[in-house]
Amino acid sequence: GTPTRFLIDSGASITALSVGSARAAGLNFDLAAPGVSMLTANGKIDAKRSSIATLALGPIRSSDLPIVISPAFGEVNVIGMNLLSRLKSWGVQDGEMVLTP
């Protein structure tokens, strides 16, 4: 129920949230807990695992979506392939991103 802006990145394996967005959404995570090491376009980072009960993008609903959270993301939130692969299709048509549930 928390509106959040996302970048759609077909090069990202997993959906990622900034710490601020994760906190605003009330997600369970502990920055002090052991995390997972990830290699991103900006280098190696430490991230924490969590999940989103339901992520809604207009008419698209995805349940029990695994995510990662890290201060290294700054304020950027990314929709990754773990959500895109759940769709019937996705792609660019006439210069616009089209997601088909």
Side-chain angles (χ1 to χ4, degrees):
T2 305
T4 305
R5 293 180 59 101
F6 283 90
L7 170 75
I8 296 174
D9 184 353
S10 61
S13 302
I14 190 164
T15 298
L17 266 72
S18 69
V19 171
S21 293
R23 284 187 176 137
L27 298 179
N28 292 322
F29 67 100
D30 180 358
L31 288 176
V36 56
S37 182
M38 300 181 68
L39 186 57
T40 71
N42 292 323
K44 190 174 176 180
I45 65 160
D46 183 56
K48 308 306 176 196
R49 294 178 196 244
S50 189
S51 65
I52 297 175
T54 302
L55 180 65
L57 302 167
I60 298 168
R61 302 276 187 273
S62 186
S63 299
D64 301 320
L65 183 68
I67 62 160
V68 291
I69 302 163
S70 177
F73 301 143
E75 291 305 312
V76 177
N77 303 298
V78 174
I79 297 291
M81 284 304 297
N82 69 324
L83 184 135
L84 294 176
S85 65
R86 294 181 180 191
L87 301 174
K88 180 177 180 182
S89 68
W90 59 274
V92 177
Q93 295 175 1
D94 298 323
E96 292 185 354
M97 177 65 79
V98 177
L99 306 176
T100 306

